[in-house]
Structure formats: C-alpha cells, structure tokens
Amino acid sequence: MLSINLLILIFSIFCISINDGRIIHYYFDEDNEERVNECIINAIDHLTEETCLQFVRSQVPKDSILFLDSGHCSWQETNNTVHLGVNCINDAMCSQIIARALTNDRPYPLVSRILNLKYNCTDKCTILCENGGSITGDCTCECGYGFTGDRCERLKGEALFTDTSCGIRDDDDDGTIALSSFPGNAPKQTYCQWLIKADEPWENIEFEIVELDLDNENLLPSQKCGDSFVIFGSSSVQNPIPCNSEGSAILGQKYRSDSNWLFIELRANAYSLRQHKGPLIKYNVVNEDGPNNIRTFSSEQVSTSTSTFIASFWTLLMTAIFRIAH
Ligand SMILES: *[C@@H]1O[C@H](CO)[C@@H](O)[C@H](O)[C@H]1NC(C)=O
Ligand SMILES: *[C@@H]1O[C@H](CO)[C@@H](O)[C@H](O)[C@H]1NC(C)=O
C-alpha cells in the first residue's frame, strides 16, 4: 500500500515540477474556420515567446480550453470555452481573450505581462508601467510627463507642491479637483499636480471643467493663458488649456480619460496682475463595457480547468503525504 502511495507522491512531484502550472492545454473544434485557428495560433506563438507559459494542443477536448468558432467572441467560464468568430477576431482580440481565459480578468493591453505576473514567470518581464509609461527593451518603464518611479506610479513634482490638495486621488470614485483655497483666491505662487486614478485598469475617468479662473490678462499675442494648465490622459483635451475667451468653450463639456488615470497640472504665473481661484474640475470613475471588452458568456465564478488541474495535483500530493504519515 505504502509503495503505491509513494509512487503517487513521486508522480505528483514529477507532474508539478514539469507543469509548474505553466502548461496550458487547448483544443480547436473540428468545425472551426481556418482563420479563427490561425489567429489563436499566432497569439499563442507570441505569448510563448513573451511568457513562461507553454501551450500544448490536445487531440481531445477534455481538460483543455476549447476554442470554438461560434460567430461571436466571448469567454464561457463554466465550460472552459473561448467563443470566436471571423467577424470579431484580430491580433489583439485573440491574445486578450486567451488572457481572459487564463486569468479570469478583464482584458487589457499588456497581456503578456499580466500572464507573467499571474504565473510567476520571474525570468520574464513582469513590470506593469502605470499612468501611460511605456516599457523599454530592458524591462524598465519610461514615464510620461509628470511621472516618476519604477512603475511611473509617483508624481514627479511632489517635492514642489504648494497646496495640500495636490497629489494622488485614488480612494474615491467621484470628487472634485480644486486648490484648497477655492473658491477663494490662490496664492500667486502655485504649483500643483493632481492624479486621479481608478482602481481597475479597464475603468475610465469622466470629468468636466466647471470653472477655470486662470490668468488671462496681459497675454502675449499667441498666448492662450498666463498660467500653464494642462490635462494629460485624455486625447479629447487639447493642451495647454486656454483660459482666454477660447477657454469658455470647454467649460461644462463632459470628457473621458483614455485609460484609468488623469493627470492635471497647474503652474501659476507668479507675475499675474491679480490673483485667481484656479480650476474646478468634477470627476467620476466609470466602469462600462466598451466595444473592445470581451464579454463573459456566463457570470458564474468557477475556477478554470488550468487551476483545477493544478489544484487536483496538490490534492493528490497532500492525500499521499497524509496517507504515508499515517
Ligand atoms: C460550452 O457551452 C456552449 C454553449 O452553451 C457550447 O456551444 C460549447 O460546445 C460548450 N463547450 C464544451 C467544452 O462543452
Ligand atoms: C506566485 O508566487 C506567489 C508568491 O511567491 C504565490 O503566492 C502565488 O500563488 C504564485 N502563483 C502561481 C500561479 O504559482
């Protein structure tokens, strides 16, 4: 009896060491259009290169992710099926829908790094650059204007802020951005950066400039505002924000961030003729399925077969140890 258990134990350890949770079995339905399979194969090739996952094509659907050409793109967690269709596939969709199936997360652009993080692919690049930072060839983040830190997670101007309202807002789903002196006048020496950050990578920030009392006197011929006021993270906003008569056109408009962050910076003109209140911006976090989001076929929360697969080996291993111990 003991020797059988021992065999199970050795077998389990062997399986765990070769699997390491990183072998993904998949199966193509026989009736799939070739284009559908090609799209998935390309995505798998790319992910094999960028992650530590190994994808193995099964000859039987059992214990595998099923790629099924059913005319629409979605992930059906309950029976481990990725639905695909020629009209909804493209390179991004194919790798994102694989990530969706493997992580149970909503998809977002950095598929390979999300998988590296989730599957502990420590010899691969696992850094996720935040706030619009981009990854370089040596796996470090190159930050956009205003950001610093390993992951571009901090505000670069922090040491120079003149007001207590400046900084990162990541605790509320809605609120306002204004200097602490608002609606009173701000000191002439004012420098502030604000970062509105939504928790989830697929969320957006909707915002509206309610007031814009900035230095608009004594402007140079081509100058649109005496203060420097910029908003980054939303392609719908033109920078620098004008505060002359042009500025009134943007008041009261609803804008949306491109991603889950919005950066705002005010550098007041210390030589303005009079004091100003500064801006007042209202914002709220929105969490909606955009056209690019992969819908879930079913909302039930069950583990994927990959994790069930790993879990079953653990159970086996633990049972074996337990039996030997007794
Ligand atoms: C999962 O369910 C869908 C329909 O609900 C079906 O078309 C598909 O074949 C199923 N997948 C498996 C692996 O049985
Ligand atoms: C990755 O490593 C962390 C900490 O070392 C651990 O908690 C987690 O379970 C691991 N995940 C996988 C999928 O192996």
Side-chain angles (χ1 to χ4, degrees):
M1 197 61 201
L2 185 82
S3 62
I4 291 172
N5 283 325
L6 204 59
L7 275 178
I8 293 173
L9 177 68
I10 292 166
F11 178 69
S12 309
I13 290 172
F14 175 70
C15 287
I16 286 161
S17 62
I18 59 160
N19 268 306
D20 211 10
R22 291 164 188 176
I23 293 192
I24 313 296
H25 294 266
Y26 67 97
Y27 179 79
F28 286 131
D29 187 70
E30 288 139 17
D31 298 329
N32 284 3
E33 275 217 30
E34 203 44 47
R35 264 195 292 166
V36 166
N37 293 0
E38 268 169 22
C39 184
I40 290 298
I41 287 170
N42 287 340
I44 280 177
D45 284 349
H46 175 73
L47 291 176
T48 305
E49 222 166 84
E50 301 270 306
T51 69
C52 62
L53 299 179
Q54 289 179 52
F55 293 84
V56 178
R57 186 166 170 178
S58 306
Q59 296 311 312
V60 287
K62 199 175 171 297
D63 291 328
S64 303
I65 295 174
L66 169 66
F67 290 105
L68 180 65
D69 184 358
S70 36
H72 65 274
C73 289
S74 73
W75 160 235
Q76 186 174 4
E77 198 182 354
T78 42
N79 65 5
N80 229 17
T81 301
V82 172
H83 295 269
L84 298 160
V86 284
N87 295 324
C88 56
I89 53 168
N90 55 48
D91 290 349
M93 170 57 85
C94 286
S95 54
Q96 289 187 7
I97 207 161
I98 294 174
R100 175 84 209 235
L102 294 179
T103 63
N104 224 358
D105 238 346
R106 291 238 231 156
Y108 51 108
L110 304 161
V111 165
S112 58
R113 261 167 295 141
I114 288 299
L115 291 174
N116 285 340
L117 281 171
K118 292 257 176 182
Y119 285 86
N120 289 342
C121 301
T122 43
D123 57 336
K124 301 281 179 176
C125 187
T126 53
I127 285 190
L128 285 175
C129 309
E130 295 181 37
N131 306 317
S134 51
I135 195 87
T136 62
D138 63 352
C139 192
T140 55
C141 294
E142 205 169 270
C143 305
Y145 177 82
F147 294 102
T148 186
D150 289 347
R151 286 176 294 108
C152 310
E153 74 282 13
R154 298 201 338 261
L155 291 171
K156 201 168 184 174
E158 204 175 4
L160 303 170
F161 294 166
T162 58
D163 193 84
T164 52
S165 76
C166 318
I168 300 176
R169 303 282 179 87
D170 56 2
D171 45 359
D172 272 326
D173 280 352
D174 56 70
T176 55
I177 296 285
L179 292 165
S180 59
S181 47
F182 194 92
N185 283 331
K188 282 191 173 185
Q189 291 271 1
T190 292
Y191 174 65
C192 207
Q193 294 176 326
W194 295 273
L195 173 67
I196 308 170
K197 189 79 191 258
D199 289 340
E200 305 294 350
W202 52 80
E203 291 175 328
N204 298 89
I205 293 137
E206 205 172 69
F207 62 100
E208 178 188 334
I209 304 174
V210 183
E211 275 193 58
L212 199 60
D213 183 23
L214 299 176
D215 175 30
N216 56 5
E217 290 122 21
N218 220 11
L219 299 179
L220 292 167
S222 63
Q223 209 179 9
K224 293 185 173 168
C225 190
D227 295 328
S228 157
F229 184 57
V230 293
I231 299 179
F232 289 124
S234 173
S235 50
S236 51
V237 174
Q238 293 271 322
N239 284 305
I241 311 284
C243 68
N244 55 5
S245 52
E246 269 178 51
S248 54
I250 58 173
L251 292 185
Q253 304 267 15
K254 287 244 190 276
Y255 295 102
R256 192 178 273 217
S257 65
D258 303 328
S259 170
N260 68 334
W261 59 274
L262 190 74
F263 171 88
I264 302 162
E265 184 187 70
L266 172 67
R267 292 170 190 244
N269 173 16
Y271 305 103
S272 61
L273 294 179
R274 60 177 186 89
Q275 283 187 299
H276 295 270
K277 293 189 276 183
L280 174 66
I281 295 174
K282 269 193 196 165
Y283 67 89
N284 62 287
V285 170
V286 286
N287 183 347
E288 279 168 18
D289 273 344
N292 292 327
N293 276 339
I294 297 159
R295 269 188 287 277
T296 340
F297 198 94
S298 152
S299 60
E300 276 178 70
Q301 295 293 316
V302 226
S303 57
T304 66
S305 87
T306 329
S307 49
T308 320
F309 185 65
I310 302 160
S312 58
F313 276 117
W314 273 114
T315 317
L316 205 58
L317 174 66
M318 289 310 156
T319 318
I321 291 172
F322 182 78
R323 286 215 201 130
I324 289 165
H326 291 73

